[in-house]
Amino acid sequence: MPPAPPPGPPPPGQGATAELLARVPKLLDAMRSVGSGLELHSTLNRICETAADLANARYAAIGVIDEDGYGLAEFVHHGVDGPTARRIGHLPDGHKGLLGALIRDPEPIRLTDLAEDPRSCGFPQHHPPMRSFLGVPIRVQGEIFGNLYLSGKLAGEPFDDYDLAMVRVLATEAGIAIGNARLYEAAQQRERWIDGSVAVTTALLSGGDMDEALQVVAEQARRLSGARAGIVLLPADGGGLEIVAVAAQHSTNALGTVIPPDNGIVAELLEGRPMFVDDAATDPRMDDGPVRGYGPVMLLPLCSDGRVLGGLVMPRARGDRPYTRTERALGDRFASQAALALMMADAQRDRERLAVYEDRDRIARDLHDLVIQRLFATGMMLESAQRRELPPEVRDGVGGAVDELDVTIQEIRSAIFALRQPDEAPEGLRTRVLREIAMAAVPLGFTPSHRFIGPVDTAVGDLTGKNLIAALRETLSNAFRHAGATRIDVMVDATVTLPDGRPGVRLTVADDGIGIPEGGRRSGLRNLERRAETVGGTSRVGPGIGRDGSGTAVLWEAPY
């Protein structure tokens, strides 16, 4: 095969000038069409369609070369319909054949018959037949971005010099359009990661529920990275890393799983080293981790000021493209920002806890130094009055008042002792439920009734109990903001048998309010469902306790 002619249109002669001039308007239209958008994938599709129309070709494609320069990261095609493409299966990877030759030697290739070229390796099953071929490299800012392929001249003849000249001009314009699209896409991508970092920082520093804030971290990581899941890991009490938040397309029971310290993932993350895996399903380091069975995975340490706080894992599905250098850099910055916000949130909670301790100590001192002394003095005065000549009924009344004062003094002393106890000792589930009810009574204007059934404190595990308390808080908040209820009943039943036969606990919060209006917001109910699913449970609503079943009853249940 003779070498391809040099760049530019062919020399005039034998009607070449007339032929070229006839194609110039079409070329100008093609160039205008190629540069009319900024979204990268749409730009690639538009280049394929425009090149096929310009050269009167049936098929066109662009192979985007991967970062290593040894194969194709993306393959955009035109002319092959959807059913045929699905039957063909995997897209070419550029490691062999003519596509690989263009990657290794980015010079134009023009063939009359593909089958006669020794570099051709044939077509896969179900691929449409192709003979004529034209391949031209696309350069973006002087670097090879990929190659433009054309095949199947509509009239049946091979591609000529004019086709090559036009397509090379179009490839130059395509390089400019692709460069602009890549810059725009990179700016958009950075903006999305920055917005995600802001959302994470706001959630962690808002002073709200820590579990909810960590869930925001997981959800933002999944959304921004295009992963199937976002997983947050924090150090476990007994060593290793515990999965404390999971955002996935499907429900999972991974929450609360502890990855042992001898796992390779744990060692790398706790050393502050990121890990990037192309296929977790075949990587032996992933055998015992939370991402086995996935494809490309980005594992990043949550590291700030030299301190490793945990890890962030973002697995993609098998067959998805690996993470690019840009995505790895953006993910690493996101993890650093999340770690900094996490450390600041810890410091903020420590300050708030210290303020609470100081306030408790002040209250305890005031109760001891002022209130008890005054009550004691009042009791002494009543005892002195009791020794005087008084009618029997008055003496009995004074004696009863003295007894009540003694009881009150003992209760205040017990309260002082409780105020001065540290909060580090674990509380039972029953105590935490009562605290939530007492806190909700202030905005509600009344205290919800409560009932406990079964071994609530001993049977319900810490993870389920933590999520039950969060569900109770969410439900009481919804009742206050939306229900307009005058009565709320709370029941925690630890004797429930779940539909799958496992023992579990059920939280029921019923009110006599207005119920759930048609078309009303369901974000609170979705939060309850998601929280139940993370621990293998369910959440649903039913009729309330008002007249004729008015109001709402939320039933949240999960295994121990």
Side-chain angles (χ1 to χ4, degrees), residues 12-88:
Q14 300 179 358
T17 302
E19 174 74 19
L20 206 55
L21 289 175
R23 293 192 180 199
V24 166
K26 194 172 184 180
L27 175 62
L28 293 175
D29 287 342
M31 294 171 65
R32 179 176 53 81
S33 173
V34 163
S36 62
L38 286 175
E39 200 276 322
L40 181 57
H41 197 78
S42 298
T43 299
L44 296 178
N45 279 319
R46 193 162 51 251
I47 293 170
C48 286
E49 295 174 10
T50 304
D53 180 61
L54 183 65
N56 294 320
R58 186 182 305 275
Y59 307 106
I62 291 178
V64 181
I65 299 176
D66 60 27
E67 291 182 339
D68 297 328
Y70 298 116
L72 297 180
E74 192 172 358
F75 191 81
V76 179
H77 57 84
H78 167 74
V80 178
D81 57 67
T84 302
R86 285 190 291 272
R87 286 195 299 271
I88 294 173

XYZ file of all heavy atoms in Angstrom, residues 12-88:
566
model
N -4.123 20.697 -7.394
C -5.137 20.838 -8.440
C -4.712 20.121 -9.707
O -3.534 19.924 -9.981
C -5.225 22.344 -8.633
C -3.916 22.880 -8.152
C -3.461 21.968 -7.072
N -5.684 19.776 -10.460
C -5.433 19.064 -11.708
C -6.525 18.077 -11.972
O -7.069 17.497 -11.057
N -6.855 17.866 -13.232
C -7.874 16.899 -13.633
C -9.185 17.163 -12.898
O -9.825 16.271 -12.371
C -7.385 15.467 -13.359
C -6.111 15.126 -14.123
C -5.622 13.727 -13.841
O -6.196 12.988 -13.044
N -4.524 13.339 -14.493
N -9.557 18.405 -12.804
C -10.837 18.741 -12.183
C -10.801 18.788 -10.680
O -11.835 18.887 -10.039
N -9.572 18.714 -10.099
C -9.486 18.683 -8.638
C -9.999 19.972 -8.033
O -10.657 19.973 -7.000
C -8.039 18.437 -8.219
N -9.691 21.112 -8.644
C -10.106 22.388 -8.072
C -11.614 22.486 -8.006
O -12.194 22.900 -6.994
C -9.534 23.544 -8.903
O -8.115 23.430 -8.937
C -9.923 24.892 -8.279
N -12.296 22.098 -9.067
C -13.756 22.146 -9.076
C -14.347 21.214 -8.031
O -15.305 21.561 -7.319
C -14.276 21.774 -10.475
N -13.756 20.020 -7.910
C -14.238 19.060 -6.918
C -14.068 19.614 -5.507
O -14.941 19.514 -4.647
C -13.455 17.756 -7.071
C -13.743 16.703 -6.017
C -15.094 16.029 -6.224
O -15.625 16.120 -7.354
O -15.631 15.439 -5.264
N -12.903 20.236 -5.278
C -12.604 20.769 -3.950
C -13.529 21.926 -3.616
O -14.060 22.020 -2.504
C -11.149 21.216 -3.911
C -10.446 21.227 -2.550
C -10.537 19.875 -1.892
C -8.994 21.652 -2.724
N -13.704 22.822 -4.588
C -14.569 23.974 -4.355
C -16.005 23.541 -4.090
O -16.720 24.173 -3.299
C -14.516 24.912 -5.562
C -13.205 25.690 -5.747
C -13.228 26.499 -7.044
C -12.958 26.601 -4.559
N -16.439 22.471 -4.735
C -17.806 21.993 -4.516
C -17.987 21.467 -3.106
O -19.096 21.505 -2.551
C -18.136 20.903 -5.537
N -16.899 21.000 -2.500
C -17.010 20.429 -1.155
C -16.786 21.464 -0.045
O -17.060 21.174 1.111
C -15.988 19.313 -0.971
C -16.243 18.095 -1.832
C -15.377 16.950 -1.377
N -15.595 15.754 -2.173
C -15.250 14.540 -1.774
N -14.682 14.380 -0.593
N -15.461 13.499 -2.541
N -16.241 22.644 -0.388
C -15.925 23.633 0.634
C -17.142 24.047 1.454
O -17.079 24.099 2.702
C -15.235 24.853 0.012
C -15.201 26.037 0.994
C -13.820 24.502 -0.406
N -18.310 24.375 0.853
C -19.469 24.743 1.699
C -19.855 23.626 2.672
O -20.204 23.899 3.828
C -20.571 25.009 0.670
C -19.857 25.347 -0.589
C -18.617 24.500 -0.579
N -19.798 22.399 2.199
C -20.139 21.279 3.080
C -19.128 21.161 4.219
O -19.481 20.872 5.368
C -20.175 19.991 2.266
C -20.830 18.821 2.986
C -21.000 17.650 2.027
C -21.744 16.505 2.722
N -21.932 15.348 1.807
N -17.842 21.402 3.913
C -16.814 21.349 4.945
C -17.028 22.453 5.976
O -16.892 22.227 7.185
C -15.431 21.474 4.312
C -14.243 21.548 5.280
C -14.151 20.276 6.110
C -12.944 21.783 4.505
N -17.371 23.654 5.511
C -17.608 24.767 6.435
C -18.795 24.470 7.348
O -18.753 24.760 8.551
C -17.823 26.061 5.654
C -16.605 26.587 4.879
C -16.984 27.808 4.057
C -15.473 26.909 5.836
N -19.857 23.909 6.773
C -21.005 23.520 7.605
C -20.600 22.470 8.635
O -21.048 22.509 9.791
C -22.130 22.977 6.722
C -22.846 24.074 5.939
O -22.702 25.253 6.346
O -23.519 23.758 4.954
N -19.767 21.526 8.197
C -19.328 20.473 9.119
C -18.503 21.064 10.260
O -18.670 20.704 11.429
C -18.514 19.423 8.366
N -17.613 21.995 9.943
C -16.788 22.618 10.978
C -17.641 23.415 11.959
O -17.406 23.397 13.171
C -15.731 23.516 10.335
C -14.695 22.748 9.508
S -13.611 23.828 8.556
C -12.743 24.664 9.865
N -18.632 24.126 11.440
C -19.527 24.880 12.320
C -20.316 23.943 13.226
O -20.495 24.207 14.421
C -20.483 25.728 11.475
C -21.477 26.531 12.291
C -22.321 27.408 11.381
N -22.947 26.623 10.321
C -24.071 25.910 10.493
N -24.650 25.879 11.679
N -24.585 25.231 9.486
N -20.760 22.799 12.693
C -21.528 21.842 13.486
C -20.676 21.225 14.588
O -21.129 21.067 15.726
C -22.084 20.742 12.574
O -22.700 19.725 13.322
N -19.420 20.909 14.252
C -18.547 20.261 15.233
C -18.305 21.158 16.434
O -18.266 20.698 17.582
C -17.211 19.871 14.558
C -16.143 19.578 15.603
C -17.410 18.660 13.669
N -18.148 22.464 16.208
C -17.831 23.373 17.306
C -19.016 24.014 17.973
O -18.863 25.017 18.666
N -20.215 23.432 17.832
C -21.427 24.095 18.327
C -21.829 23.693 19.741
O -22.854 24.143 20.226
C -22.598 23.796 17.378
O -22.871 22.403 17.344
N -21.072 22.843 20.424
C -21.458 22.420 21.776
C -20.253 22.286 22.683
O -19.110 22.336 22.233
N -20.536 22.121 23.983
C -19.467 22.025 24.965
C -19.463 20.707 25.725
O -18.474 20.400 26.390
C -19.570 23.184 25.970
C -19.155 24.559 25.446
C -19.429 25.632 26.494
C -17.680 24.572 25.066
N -20.528 19.932 25.665
C -20.558 18.663 26.383
C -19.748 17.640 25.601
O -19.947 17.461 24.392
C -22.006 18.196 26.547
C -22.210 17.186 27.665
C -21.894 15.770 27.210
O -22.217 15.451 26.056
O -21.325 15.002 28.004
N -18.792 16.979 26.268
C -17.791 16.182 25.566
C -18.402 15.026 24.799
O -18.114 14.832 23.617
C -16.744 15.669 26.563
C -15.603 14.839 25.961
C -14.874 15.636 24.900
C -14.636 14.376 27.041
N -19.251 14.228 25.435
C -19.787 13.055 24.747
C -20.654 13.474 23.558
O -20.598 12.843 22.493
C -20.591 12.197 25.721
C -20.823 10.805 25.230
N -19.869 9.814 25.264
C -21.922 10.229 24.660
C -20.352 8.696 24.747
N -21.591 8.929 24.378
N -21.441 14.525 23.731
C -22.250 15.018 22.611
C -21.356 15.518 21.480
O -21.672 15.336 20.291
C -23.171 16.149 23.077
O -24.067 15.686 24.055
N -20.240 16.135 21.853
C -19.302 16.611 20.836
C -18.728 15.452 20.035
O -18.627 15.509 18.797
C -18.173 17.418 21.497
O -18.732 18.556 22.166
C -17.166 17.894 20.471
N -18.358 14.376 20.709
C -17.823 13.203 20.012
C -18.859 12.589 19.084
O -18.538 12.215 17.939
C -17.346 12.170 21.043
C -16.186 12.592 21.954
C -15.851 11.486 22.940
C -14.961 12.969 21.136
N -20.087 12.486 19.551
C -21.156 11.956 18.682
C -21.356 12.848 17.458
O -21.547 12.365 16.336
C -22.464 11.855 19.472
C -22.530 10.606 20.332
O -22.134 9.527 19.905
N -23.017 10.748 21.553
N -21.323 14.153 17.685
C -21.537 15.097 16.579
C -20.392 15.015 15.577
O -20.614 15.110 14.362
C -21.668 16.507 17.164
C -22.190 17.536 16.188
C -22.704 18.781 16.902
N -21.715 19.296 17.841
C -21.839 19.235 19.165
N -22.912 18.683 19.708
N -20.902 19.738 19.952
N -19.159 14.824 16.050
C -18.024 14.682 15.127
C -18.198 13.444 14.257
O -17.949 13.469 13.039
C -16.704 14.618 15.920
C -16.428 15.964 16.603
C -15.540 14.247 15.003
C -15.279 15.917 17.590
N -18.613 12.330 14.871
C -18.833 11.094 14.097
C -19.878 11.308 13.002
O -19.662 10.945 11.829
C -19.284 9.972 15.030
S -17.978 9.295 16.075
N -21.004 11.876 13.375
C -22.078 12.085 12.393
C -21.627 13.028 11.285
O -21.893 12.796 10.091
C -23.308 12.652 13.103
C -23.934 11.708 14.110
C -25.052 12.382 14.890
O -25.454 13.497 14.507
O -25.520 11.797 15.895
N -20.934 14.104 11.669
C -20.505 15.088 10.675
C -19.459 14.498 9.729
O -19.503 14.732 8.511
C -19.918 16.317 11.395
O -20.889 16.839 12.306
C -19.543 17.398 10.411
N -18.504 13.719 10.268
C -17.478 13.113 9.423
C -18.095 12.122 8.441
O -17.702 12.074 7.266
C -16.441 12.414 10.305
N -19.054 11.325 8.909
C -19.714 10.366 8.017
C -20.446 11.090 6.894
O -20.397 10.676 5.720
C -20.676 9.490 8.823
N -21.110 12.187 7.221
C -21.840 12.934 6.197
C -20.877 13.602 5.226
O -21.117 13.634 4.013
C -22.722 13.983 6.890
C -23.516 14.797 5.890
O -24.330 14.204 5.157
O -23.329 16.036 5.854
N -19.760 14.126 5.753
C -18.808 14.827 4.894
C -18.149 13.888 3.888
O -17.934 14.257 2.732
C -17.747 15.487 5.784
C -16.696 16.333 5.078
C -17.328 17.555 4.419
C -15.619 16.772 6.073
N -17.814 12.664 4.317
C -17.110 11.720 3.448
C -18.053 10.705 2.803
O -17.580 9.748 2.180
C -16.032 10.985 4.245
N -19.364 10.889 2.969
C -20.348 9.946 2.408
C -20.069 8.509 2.872
O -20.080 7.559 2.082
C -20.354 9.997 0.873
C -20.842 11.328 0.342
O -21.796 11.891 0.894
N -20.192 11.845 -0.680
N -19.796 8.368 4.189
C -19.485 7.060 4.752
C -20.683 6.531 5.525
O -21.447 7.288 6.124
C -18.266 7.156 5.668
N -20.817 5.213 5.512
C -21.914 4.577 6.250
C -21.600 4.514 7.751
O -22.481 4.664 8.585
C -22.149 3.172 5.707
C -23.380 2.468 6.307
C -23.501 1.052 5.751
N -23.529 1.042 4.302
C -24.636 1.223 3.575
N -25.794 1.455 4.172
N -24.583 1.181 2.256
N -20.340 4.296 8.090
C -19.957 4.109 9.495
C -18.869 5.105 9.875
O -17.992 5.439 9.060
C -19.436 2.687 9.744
C -20.369 1.602 9.272
C -20.082 0.858 8.117
C -21.538 1.314 9.967
C -20.939 -0.141 7.676
C -22.402 0.316 9.534
C -22.103 -0.401 8.387
O -22.952 -1.390 7.955
N -18.930 5.544 11.126
C -17.899 6.434 11.666
C -17.735 6.131 13.149
O -18.680 5.692 13.814
C -18.258 7.900 11.453
N -16.537 6.357 13.662
C -16.280 6.115 15.089
C -15.102 6.963 15.534
O -14.270 7.386 14.716
C -16.001 4.635 15.352
N -15.059 7.209 16.839
C -13.907 7.872 17.456
C -13.440 6.991 18.605
O -14.229 6.621 19.483
C -14.260 9.273 17.978
C -14.541 10.227 16.811
C -13.129 9.840 18.844
C -14.938 11.619 17.253
N -12.168 6.634 18.573
C -11.573 5.907 19.681
C -10.756 6.859 20.538
O -9.806 7.473 20.051
N -11.152 7.020 21.799
C -10.454 7.915 22.729
C -9.349 7.114 23.414
O -9.620 6.109 24.076
C -11.425 8.503 23.769
C -10.672 9.443 24.717
C -12.571 9.224 23.084
N -8.108 7.563 23.266
C -6.964 6.828 23.819
C -6.909 7.021 25.328
O -7.152 8.123 25.841
C -5.656 7.320 23.164
C -5.721 7.069 21.646
C -4.443 6.619 23.757
C -4.530 7.600 20.889
N -6.600 5.935 26.061
C -6.558 6.016 27.523
C -5.331 6.789 27.994
O -4.465 7.167 27.197
C -6.596 4.622 28.152
C -5.427 3.744 27.713
O -4.370 4.297 27.371
O -5.566 2.505 27.713
N -5.278 7.040 29.316
C -4.213 7.878 29.867
C -2.835 7.270 29.679
O -1.837 7.989 29.578
C -4.474 8.122 31.354
C -5.684 9.005 31.611
C -5.887 9.278 33.094
O -5.364 8.486 33.918
O -6.556 10.264 33.428
N -2.741 5.940 29.648
C -1.450 5.281 29.478
C -0.987 5.261 28.021
O 0.179 4.986 27.743
C -1.508 3.845 30.009
C -1.792 3.816 31.505
O -1.362 4.750 32.198
O -2.462 2.872 31.960
N -1.908 5.518 27.083
C -1.554 5.559 25.677
C -1.416 4.215 25.009
O -0.867 4.120 23.904
N -1.957 3.149 25.651
C -1.801 1.801 25.092
C -3.111 1.201 24.578
O -3.108 0.112 24.011
C -1.202 0.859 26.132
C 0.178 1.264 26.586
C 0.420 1.625 27.898
C 1.238 1.301 25.678
C 1.685 2.013 28.314
C 2.508 1.680 26.089
C 2.726 2.039 27.404
O 3.972 2.427 27.815
N -4.193 1.858 24.786
C -5.478 1.306 24.369
C -6.527 2.401 24.336
O -6.226 3.601 24.401
N -7.788 1.978 24.212
C -8.903 2.914 24.105
C -9.671 2.965 25.414
O -10.045 1.934 25.971
C -9.842 2.491 22.975
C -9.244 2.487 21.560
C -10.286 2.044 20.549
C -8.687 3.863 21.196
N -9.894 4.173 25.902
C -10.701 4.361 27.104
C -12.171 4.490 26.754
O -13.034 4.203 27.585
C -10.237 5.606 27.855
N -12.472 4.917 25.532
C -13.862 5.115 25.122
C -13.949 4.923 23.619
O -13.000 5.215 22.874
C -14.338 6.519 25.522
C -15.829 6.729 25.395
C -16.279 8.063 25.987
O -15.418 8.797 26.522
O -17.478 8.373 25.897
N -15.099 4.435 23.158
C -15.313 4.198 21.732
C -16.723 4.673 21.383
O -17.715 4.099 21.829
C -15.153 2.712 21.409
C -15.101 2.415 19.929
C -13.920 2.571 19.217
C -16.226 1.985 19.249
C -13.865 2.292 17.856
C -16.188 1.703 17.903
C -14.999 1.857 17.192
N -16.795 5.764 20.628
C -18.078 6.356 20.224
C -18.292 6.034 18.759
O -17.400 6.285 17.924
C -18.062 7.882 20.450
C -19.383 8.492 20.010
C -17.784 8.205 21.912
N -19.445 5.480 18.433
C -19.651 5.034 17.047
C -20.953 5.587 16.478
O -21.884 5.970 17.198
C -19.653 3.509 16.965
C -20.671 2.852 17.849
N -21.982 2.677 17.480
C -20.561 2.334 19.095
C -22.643 2.070 18.451
N -21.796 1.860 19.456
N -21.016 5.602 15.146
C -22.181 6.069 14.409
C -22.409 5.133 13.233
O -21.453 4.734 12.551
C -21.951 7.504 13.906
C -22.954 7.952 12.875
N -24.245 8.282 13.208
C -22.848 8.104 11.527
C -24.893 8.641 12.112
N -24.068 8.537 11.080
N -23.666 4.774 12.992
C -24.011 3.935 11.851
C -24.396 2.520 12.213
O -25.067 1.836 11.428
N -23.977 2.037 13.370
C -24.348 0.696 13.837
C -25.525 0.854 14.809
O -25.391 1.543 15.828
C -23.167 -0.006 14.530
C -23.592 -1.373 15.051
C -21.996 -0.141 13.566
N -26.656 0.253 14.502
C -27.837 0.432 15.338
C -27.671 -0.279 16.679
O -26.775 -1.119 16.864
C -29.101 -0.065 14.626
C -29.002 -1.519 14.208
O -28.958 -2.391 15.099
O -28.950 -1.787 12.984
N -28.566 0.069 17.610
C -28.485 -0.453 18.968
C -28.531 -1.967 19.064
O -27.669 -2.573 19.732
N -29.511 -2.639 18.442
C -29.542 -4.114 18.531
C -28.275 -4.778 17.994
O -27.771 -5.735 18.585
C -30.775 -4.478 17.685
C -31.647 -3.262 17.748
C -30.715 -2.106 17.774
N -27.738 -4.262 16.876
C -26.509 -4.837 16.331
C -25.341 -4.631 17.285
O -24.533 -5.540 17.519
C -26.183 -4.204 14.968
O -27.285 -4.413 14.075
C -24.918 -4.815 14.377
N -25.246 -3.422 17.876
C -24.166 -3.142 18.822
C -24.242 -4.062 20.028
O -23.212 -4.540 20.530
C -24.222 -1.677 19.256
N -25.474 -4.348 20.497
C -25.612 -5.246 21.647
C -25.218 -6.670 21.285
O -24.648 -7.397 22.106
C -27.050 -5.193 22.175
C -27.353 -3.915 22.957
C -28.687 -4.014 23.663
N -29.802 -4.017 22.730
C -30.400 -2.912 22.282
N -29.964 -1.718 22.668
N -31.408 -2.978 21.446
N -25.508 -7.099 20.062
C -25.113 -8.445 19.646
C -23.596 -8.556 19.501
O -23.009 -9.592 19.796
C -25.799 -8.812 18.323
C -27.283 -9.135 18.466
C -27.807 -9.843 17.228
N -27.680 -9.018 16.030
C -28.594 -8.164 15.590
N -29.725 -8.017 16.297
N -28.409 -7.456 14.498
N -22.955 -7.474 19.051
C -21.494 -7.507 18.915
C -20.845 -7.670 20.284
O -19.876 -8.402 20.463
C -20.998 -6.222 18.226
C -21.510 -6.187 16.777
C -19.477 -6.151 18.257
C -21.214 -4.883 16.063
